[in-house]
Amino acid sequence: MSVPRWDDETLKAGTMVRTALWLVTVVGEGNVFTKEEHRNAFPGISQADRRMRDLRDYDWVIHTNTEDATLRPQEQRFVKAGVPVWQRDVKRAATSPAITAKQRQAVFAADDYQCVTCGIAGGETYADSPSETAVLAASSRTVRLSHDRTELMYVTECKRCRSGTGNDQSADLARLLSDIRDLDEAEQRRLLLWIKRGRRGATPIDRAWTAYRRLPSEARDTLLGHLDDGTL
Ligand SMILES: [Zn+2]
């Protein structure tokens, strides 16, 4: 998608929007920049740093050395672009009041009550951090429908994936490969399918688990009773 030039003087845009454009076109996703480079791009603008932080409200992920230990104090990493704030209608939709509780429930239901990024269900604990319980949220996504039409849609994400801080810096590929080797063939095939599809699919056992978790506690007890004494 073509984006406006960040330094186009005819563009009616504030420092936050221009910073977004500067990040996308000059820095590029995944790359490191310094606070000085940002300040030099916007000479004479006080609080340029703060305008950059404002982008986080629009799902932009920008890490400092507190989130990414490989960075030096003056450096930041442009991890991921969020809402294209230079598109006025999209920006307005993103700042309009949060979706209602009913809409949020519909988003969760459509995603089988699982984080679309890591697959965890609400209330489950993280495998790598058993004391942490997953809380689901509806995150906005700008979906491009055709070349000139975008719409704001929602997906279910756990708060950890949403904040972009859950990425384990010490990823261990060798360990992961060995874990995958320990799966049986059917599980390996299913994993491959999920990877190709870009999200985890709900299996019958997942759907049963999700349905179980949504039962009132009395009904859970009844179900547990049936399972326990084999009277399904
Ligand atoms: Zn997640």
Side-chain angles (χ1 to χ4, degrees), residues 114-121 126 134-136 156-162:
Q114 289 173 357
C115 169
V116 296
T117 305
C118 73
I120 200 163
Y126 292 95
V135 176
L136 298 180
T156 305
E157 245 184 346
C158 72
K159 295 218 164 143
R160 183 165 144 175
C161 290
R162 184 178 156 94

Side-chain angles (χ1 to χ4, degrees), residues 145-163:
L145 300 171
S146 60
H147 87 108
D148 58 352
R149 218 157 69 85
T150 52
E151 202 175 296
L152 205 65
M153 296 180 179
Y154 291 87
V155 294
T156 305
E157 245 184 346
C158 72
K159 295 218 164 143
R160 183 165 144 175
C161 290
R162 184 178 156 94
S163 72

Side-chain angles (χ1 to χ4, degrees), residues 4 15 34 45 78 102 105 116 118 122 127 133 135 142 156 168 179 184 186 189 205 207 210 212 215 223 225:
T15 305
T34 64
I45 305 276
F78 170 35
K102 196 176 163 190
Q105 283 306 313
V116 296
C118 73
T133 304
V135 176
T142 310
T156 305
D168 187 352
D179 286 347
D184 66 36
R189 272 199 304 276
I205 188 169
R207 281 194 288 272
T210 303
Y212 159 77
L215 290 175
L223 182 82

Side-chain angles (χ1 to χ4, degrees), residues 100-211:
T100 65
K102 196 176 163 190
Q103 286 171 309
R104 193 173 305 116
Q105 283 306 313
V107 172
F108 292 170
D111 292 326
D112 293 317
Y113 298 86
Q114 289 173 357
C115 169
V116 296
T117 305
C118 73
I120 200 163
E124 276 182 353
T125 54
Y126 292 95
D128 62 348
S129 173
S131 61
E132 207 186 334
T133 304
V135 176
L136 298 180
S139 300
S140 60
R141 289 276 191 278
T142 310
V143 181
R144 200 169 160 213
L145 300 171
S146 60
H147 87 108
D148 58 352
R149 218 157 69 85
T150 52
E151 202 175 296
L152 205 65
M153 296 180 179
Y154 291 87
V155 294
T156 305
E157 245 184 346
C158 72
K159 295 218 164 143
R160 183 165 144 175
C161 290
R162 184 178 156 94
S163 72
T165 54
N167 304 328
D168 187 352
Q169 298 294 332
S170 57
D172 186 344
L173 184 61
R175 162 89 187 273
L176 175 59
L177 283 169
S178 128
D179 286 347
I180 293 173
R181 269 194 296 274
D182 289 341
L183 300 175
D184 66 36
E185 258 183 65
E187 288 169 330
Q188 287 186 6
R189 272 199 304 276
R190 180 173 297 154
L191 178 66
L192 179 66
L193 193 71
W194 291 353
I195 292 171
K196 286 184 171 168
R197 201 159 49 190
R199 61 169 283 189
R200 173 179 151 183
T203 63
I205 188 169
D206 285 322
R207 281 194 288 272
W209 167 246
T210 303

